[in-house]
Amino acid sequence: MKGSLECWSRLLLLLVVSNLLLCQGVVSTPVCPNGPGNCQVSLRDLFDRAVMVSHYIHNLSSEMFNEFDKRYAQGKGFITMALNSCHTSSLPTPEDKEQAQQTHHEVLMSLILGLLRSWNDPLYHLVTEVRGMKGVPDAILSRAIEIEEENKRLLEGMEMIFGQVIPGAKETEPYPVWSGLPSLQTKDEDARHSAFYNLLHCLRRDSSKIDTYLKLLNCRIIYNNNC
Amino acid sequence: MKENAASRVLFILLLFLFARLPTNYTLTYRKEGETLIHECPDYKTGGPNSCYFSKKYTSIWKMYVITVSAINQMGISSSDPLYVDVTYIVEPEPPVNLTLELKHPEDRKPYLWIKWSPPTLTDVKSGWFSIQYEIRLKPEKATDWETHFAPKLTQLKIFNLYPGQKYLVQIRCKPDHGYWSEWSPESFIQIPNDFPVKDTSMWIFVGVLSAVICLIMVWAVALKGYSMVTCILPPVPGPKIKGFDIHLLEKGKSEELLRALESQDFLPTSDCEDLLMEFIEVDDSEDQHLMPHPSKEHMEQGVKPMHLDPDTDSGRGSCDSPSLLSEKCDEPQAYPSKFHIPEGPEKLEDPKTNHTCLQAPQSTSGEGKIPYFLANGPKSSTWPFPQPPSLYSPRYSYHNIADVCELALGMAGTTATLLDQTDQHAFKPSKTIETGGEGKAAKQSESEGYSSEPDQDMAWPLLQDKTPLFSAKPLEYVEIHKVSQDGVLALFPKQNEKVDAPETSKEYSKVSRVTDSNILVLIPDLQAQNLTLLEESAKKAPPALP
């Protein structure tokens, strides 16, 4: 018994020594960089994460749209019906770079928050209805589920950023409400697919807007226009 | 980008048939959300059959619906509308300022350091665009390109280059959702011949570390060689039977071997408590006549020697069985109630094998809880019963001890089976380990754990309804009258059908003596002796008891 104890203790010692020798370069980041009592995630980190998530969401939306187009929309001319079909078109979003650069970051952030909130409900129903589609490829369904989750995450992050950049911000402003659920549930399969096409097309666009605005804000606020 | 990256849209117009007649083409468009139809603002800048939309006319996140019409003498023909969202059709210019540099730091591996800048017209600084880059390189004479992806940074390090080669390097880029640019013009770099490929410092480090580890191992082995070896390679345990002398195997004497085997404690221990039962075999003999027996010291008034029946005839106990009962058959009648604790000669050899095969057979009523008796080694005396008498059923039928032991030891397992195969006559009296009655043992009713001391290493189940054992036997049996608080037995002779019921029940409560081979000899106490005597004698007995 004693012999085995010694044996194990020696092996352990060897392991520890080799570990120390090999793991020299590990640096751990402090949990509270701003000192104790102020243990918050820094704004830079918040923006980094938000940009990553928004980029991810936009990638997923594009892929989902392309998959749907390939599978259900070939030769159907759904695009004609997709014009002016986005429920968020009432939001006064800047349409090009100059307009965006001239928009105050407070306004931009409110727009981002409005877009994110207005997509909560449609994304939820999108997942439910896509599940019910016969023979839906997993590529579409899995992305829909992922986008819904990431959207919530991004909304949380944006609210935190908003609270830090604009302390004492006023109450949330109203956001556009989606009312396209009946069209997603019609019996006519073509009409149903057309409704899905519209929704995915709008999702791709709005996620691109969110991503672009966030990257603009990130470079403007954190990196001083020197990304 | 060819012109203002964000604002220029270059459309490729399809030429329709009928190019012979002079034909005018017009492009008209409208934007999503508007009803006005516009005509192309600039047909010239983009070349023939093109339409150029400058920054002023370009909006992103809005669909353009574009139609081209052809007009000639024959009439007007319009194309299908083209739906375009500017966001997804951006193609940038290639990156610029591609620089190549060979670096050879002292403690690290040498590498090629490639740097570049984003295209001039792409606004990356403000964050409006996110650009990804791709670099490819190959030795001049090779055919296949080696491609590297750089998601964000504008520099890249390449390792593992072949010395003496001339390398070509190219780069291109694309926005997040757009098209790849063209490849940049080629850049060249010559790797010198003496360019070290491998980094030696790492190997030195590895060598030193392994040498240190070897030294530590050698030192450990030298100091405590044996214990290390046993730690890494534990010795294979040899076969071991408790209390068994392995040398018997070497001698090859079957008799001794079997004797040794059968004396072992093969029985299950404390976790089978509910199956463990005590039983006491009492030999009922009215004549108080001792049977002639080879070991005369066992013979005492009222004492009957016990023999084990090694075969599996379930408790017939008649003159047919080659058991100890053969001697009984010679006797005219049963003996007075005796209390016999059998023992094997092995006990003398190895105290661990001490055990008792005490039966307290169940009556036909089969009711009540059955106490069990854990025979023990030299540690403690299991007699008298350590448990309170409340667990006791007052009536117990009586069995041939051999049969009971059979049944009891049926749970013992394989070794017993082995023994069964052997020469029965090789068994001496007081063997208690038997085979066979596994099935019967299974019939045992649940009994309260009687002696649940964990140091008990043997127990036998109590037989329940042992009617087959009641076939014609010359023996008379004894009933256990009661058990005192200290677990002392009070015995009665069983009512024998052939004999008139005695007026009074005799109480065998007096221990005459304990024999050399640890057999308790009981005699009836004619004075209706109380149990205390029994207790006293039992208390004296413990050291001698198994």
Side-chain angles (χ1 to χ4, degrees):
Chain A
M1 186 62 193
K2 192 193 170 192
S4 71
L5 240 165
E6 285 182 20
C7 177
W8 281 115
S9 63
R10 286 206 198 94
L11 285 174
L12 187 68
L13 178 67
L14 265 178
L15 200 69
V16 166
V17 166
S18 59
N19 220 19
L20 286 172
L21 287 173
L22 293 171
C23 298
Q24 292 176 22
V26 175
V27 174
S28 60
T29 50
V31 176
C32 293
N34 300 330
N38 189 20
C39 197
Q40 275 184 338
V41 184
S42 70
L43 192 64
R44 173 185 284 249
D45 286 338
L46 281 175
F47 260 109
D48 270 348
R49 285 179 213 180
V51 165
M52 270 196 314
V53 175
S54 71
H55 186 92
Y56 184 47
I57 292 174
H58 183 41
N59 276 347
L60 288 173
S61 309
S62 290
E63 288 164 8
M64 190 163 67
F65 177 80
N66 289 334
E67 290 284 328
F68 188 90
D69 188 32
K70 204 166 58 178
R71 171 87 169 80
Y72 294 103
Q74 289 301 304
K76 296 260 175 89
F78 287 149
I79 188 73
T80 54
M81 307 298 295
L83 294 179
N84 300 319
S85 66
C86 295
H87 65 288
T88 51
S89 50
S90 60
L91 282 173
T93 52
E95 295 295 317
D96 59 26
K97 187 177 94 170
E98 280 69 29
Q99 278 186 34
Q101 283 182 323
Q102 282 157 18
T103 312
H104 193 260
H105 57 266
E106 220 178 287
V107 176
L108 271 182
M109 269 196 245
S110 306
L111 284 172
I112 294 170
L113 282 171
L115 282 168
L116 288 170
R117 286 185 187 120
S118 73
W119 272 101
N120 261 338
D121 190 46
L123 283 172
Y124 170 78
H125 289 291
L126 177 72
V127 170
T128 319
E129 297 304 322
V130 164
R131 266 210 190 98
M133 275 172 74
K134 275 179 296 193
V136 61
D138 187 60
I140 295 176
L141 178 61
S142 60
R143 286 187 172 91
I145 295 168
E146 189 76 7
I147 291 172
E148 198 212 344
E149 276 183 36
E150 295 296 320
N151 198 64
K152 286 187 191 139
R153 200 166 292 157
L154 184 58
L155 181 58
E156 274 178 37
M158 274 314 299
E159 279 167 352
M160 287 174 72
I161 292 174
F162 196 69
Q164 281 202 24
V165 173
I166 307 158
K170 52 189 181 195
E171 287 289 313
T172 57
E173 297 187 4
Y175 53 88
V177 175
W178 178 68
S179 56
L181 183 58
S183 59
L184 280 187
Q185 293 172 328
T186 54
K187 302 284 185 203
D188 180 7
E189 198 162 313
D190 262 356
R192 204 153 158 255
H193 289 165
S194 176
F196 272 112
Y197 185 92
N198 290 352
L199 194 63
L200 294 179
H201 165 260
C202 292
L203 179 62
R204 177 172 76 152
R205 173 183 291 177
D206 285 345
S207 61
S208 170
K209 282 187 187 175
I210 292 167
D211 188 38
T212 308
Y213 299 155
L214 254 178
K215 284 170 179 166
L216 265 180
L217 282 174
N218 181 39
C219 286
R220 196 198 288 182
I221 294 174
I222 306 293
Y223 294 96
N224 228 356
N225 275 326
N226 198 17
C227 267
Chain B
M1 297 248 188
K2 298 202 169 69
E3 283 198 54
N4 190 332
S7 54
R8 181 168 173 244
V9 175
L10 187 64
F11 296 104
I12 297 174
L13 303 176
L14 293 172
L15 293 177
F16 295 98
L17 304 172
F18 307 111
R20 286 176 223 147
L21 288 169
T23 316
N24 272 340
Y25 297 103
T26 57
L27 182 143
T28 53
Y29 72 93
R30 71 178 177 93
K31 285 207 250 181
E32 181 181 357
E34 295 172 10
T35 48
L36 276 172
I37 296 181
H38 309 272
E39 198 179 338
C40 170
D42 186 345
Y43 286 107
K44 295 204 171 71
T45 313
N49 295 327
S50 74
C51 179
Y52 182 84
F53 291 78
S54 65
K55 196 167 172 180
K56 183 174 152 194
Y57 296 99
T58 307
S59 308
I60 53 172
W61 298 312
K62 260 191 163 63
M63 210 67 105
Y64 279 73
V65 186
I66 298 162
T67 315
V68 177
S69 306
I71 309 165
N72 63 10
Q73 288 170 349
M74 303 288 287
I76 295 178
S77 173
S78 292
S79 69
D80 287 333
L82 178 69
Y83 296 87
V84 175
D85 191 331
V86 173
T87 322
Y88 306 110
I89 58 165
V90 176
E91 180 187 332
E93 300 273 331
V96 295
N97 297 340
L98 185 62
T99 58
L100 303 171
E101 208 177 321
L102 279 172
K103 290 277 199 179
H104 190 191
E106 287 183 8
D107 294 336
R108 293 152 158 255
K109 288 181 78 170
Y111 59 90
L112 171 66
W113 196 21
I114 305 175
K115 284 186 292 182
W116 62 89
S117 302
T120 43
L121 298 174
T122 314
D123 189 359
V124 179
K125 280 200 184 312
S126 70
W128 184 249
F129 271 109
S130 305
I131 302 273
Q132 304 165 6
Y133 303 95
E134 196 176 61
I135 293 145
R136 66 178 186 183
L137 64 149
K138 65 166 183 173
E140 194 177 18
K141 302 280 168 54
T143 51
D144 292 331
W145 291 92
E146 182 187 328
T147 315
H148 298 270
F149 186 69
K152 215 174 170 187
L153 293 176
T154 56
Q155 54 172 324
L156 192 68
K157 293 177 186 169
I158 306 284
F159 299 89
N160 298 329
L161 295 161
Y162 296 112
Q165 297 273 357
K166 187 176 177 190
Y167 274 86
L168 297 168
V169 182
Q170 282 186 310
I171 188 167
R172 66 175 183 174
C173 64
K174 91 170 177 78
D176 285 340
H177 297 280
Y179 300 120
W180 281 106
S181 68
E182 299 288 334
W183 286 106
S184 67
E186 288 173 351
S187 289
F188 297 90
I189 188 153
Q190 177 75 40
I191 314 291
N193 284 332
D194 59 349
F195 199 68
V197 176
K198 285 188 184 174
D199 181 24
T200 53
S201 61
M202 194 192 76
W203 292 109
I204 294 167
F205 171 72
V206 168
V208 166
L209 185 66
S210 42
V212 165
I213 290 170
C214 284
L215 280 173
I216 291 172
M217 300 282 277
V218 165
W219 167 73
V221 167
L223 277 185
K224 294 274 172 85
Y226 179 69
S227 55
M228 285 283 288
V229 168
T230 51
C231 179
I232 296 167
L233 303 168
V236 176
K240 188 180 171 192
I241 301 171
K242 193 162 83 171
F244 184 68
D245 187 8
I246 296 178
H247 298 306
L248 283 178
L249 286 169
E250 295 168 10
K251 290 178 197 165
K253 294 186 182 176
S254 64
E255 279 189 17
E256 290 175 16
L257 173 70
L258 295 168
R259 202 178 309 138
L261 282 173
E262 71 193 9
S263 71
Q264 299 305 314
D265 303 340
F266 295 122
L267 299 178
T269 50
S270 55
D271 53 353
C272 304
E273 273 184 90
D274 54 347
L275 292 176
L276 299 176
M277 288 176 266
E278 293 169 326
F279 50 91
I280 305 156
E281 181 185 26
V282 180
D283 213 341
D284 190 8
S285 166
E286 285 178 2
D287 289 347
Q288 309 228 356
H289 191 52
L290 291 178
M291 197 197 298
H293 192 263
S295 46
K296 294 247 169 164
E297 61 273 17
H298 292 192
M299 293 304 120
E300 190 69 10
Q301 191 181 22
V303 173
K304 177 164 181 342
M306 191 156 75
H307 302 264
L308 280 189
D309 191 341
D311 71 343
T312 56
D313 72 322
S314 61
R316 272 182 290 117
S318 64
C319 297
D320 301 333
S321 69
S323 68
L324 75 168
L325 302 177
S326 57
E327 290 137 326
K328 295 180 193 174
C329 292
D330 298 336
E331 294 301 312
Q333 241 328 316
Y335 295 98
S337 301
K338 293 164 197 153
F339 188 63
H340 185 190
I341 301 170
E343 183 177 41
E346 300 71 31
K347 283 184 190 170
L348 304 172
E349 295 166 3
D350 183 0
K352 282 187 193 173
T353 67
N354 282 346
H355 55 262
T356 57
C357 187
L358 305 174
Q359 298 183 16
Q362 190 74 348
S363 69
T364 46
S365 63
E367 294 286 337
K369 299 190 202 281
I370 304 161
Y372 65 87
F373 196 118
L374 290 182
N376 199 357
K379 293 171 193 173
S380 71
S381 153
T382 52
W383 187 90
F385 298 100
Q387 298 289 332
S390 57
L391 297 175
Y392 237 88
S393 169
R395 288 184 153 266
Y396 292 87
S397 48
Y398 199 41
H399 301 284
N400 184 331
I401 187 169
D403 306 316
V404 174
C405 286
E406 261 183 39
L407 291 169
L409 300 170
M411 297 173 66
T414 53
T415 329
T417 326
L418 172 68
L419 293 174
D420 191 32
Q421 315 299 331
T422 61
D423 183 10
Q424 297 167 356
H425 297 297
F427 289 99
K428 290 291 197 254
S430 76
K431 275 290 167 279
T432 57
I433 297 170
E434 279 306 14
T435 71
E438 270 178 323
K440 296 165 203 165
K443 286 190 229 161
Q444 311 297 335
S445 69
E446 251 210 12
S447 63
E448 289 294 326
Y450 205 67
S451 170
S452 53
E453 297 148 34
D455 56 2
Q456 307 284 353
D457 53 10
M458 192 153 45
W460 289 288
L462 189 59
L463 299 177
Q464 200 169 7
D465 197 357
K466 293 297 300 165
T467 39
L469 297 182
F470 284 108
S471 55
K473 288 181 187 175
L475 293 177
E476 288 183 45
Y477 300 119
V478 154
E479 278 181 19
I480 296 174
H481 171 53
K482 62 185 173 196
V483 179
S484 74
Q485 283 178 351
D486 297 330
V488 178
L489 267 182
L491 304 172
F492 285 124
K494 184 181 184 227
Q495 306 298 329
N496 196 337
E497 309 87 79
K498 300 174 188 172
V499 179
D500 292 336
E503 326 60 64
T504 55
S505 53
K506 295 181 193 171
E507 207 172 66
Y508 291 88
S509 57
K510 189 173 179 183
V511 173
S512 167
R513 65 183 182 88
V514 179
T515 67
D516 290 345
S517 33
N518 292 346
I519 297 171
L520 259 184
V521 179
L522 291 179
I523 53 171
D525 191 9
L526 298 172
Q527 295 152 9
Q529 184 65 273
N530 56 16
L531 294 171
T532 51
L533 263 182
L534 206 63
E535 289 173 44
E536 285 165 12
S537 54
K539 279 170 195 165
K540 290 174 208 159
L545 280 178

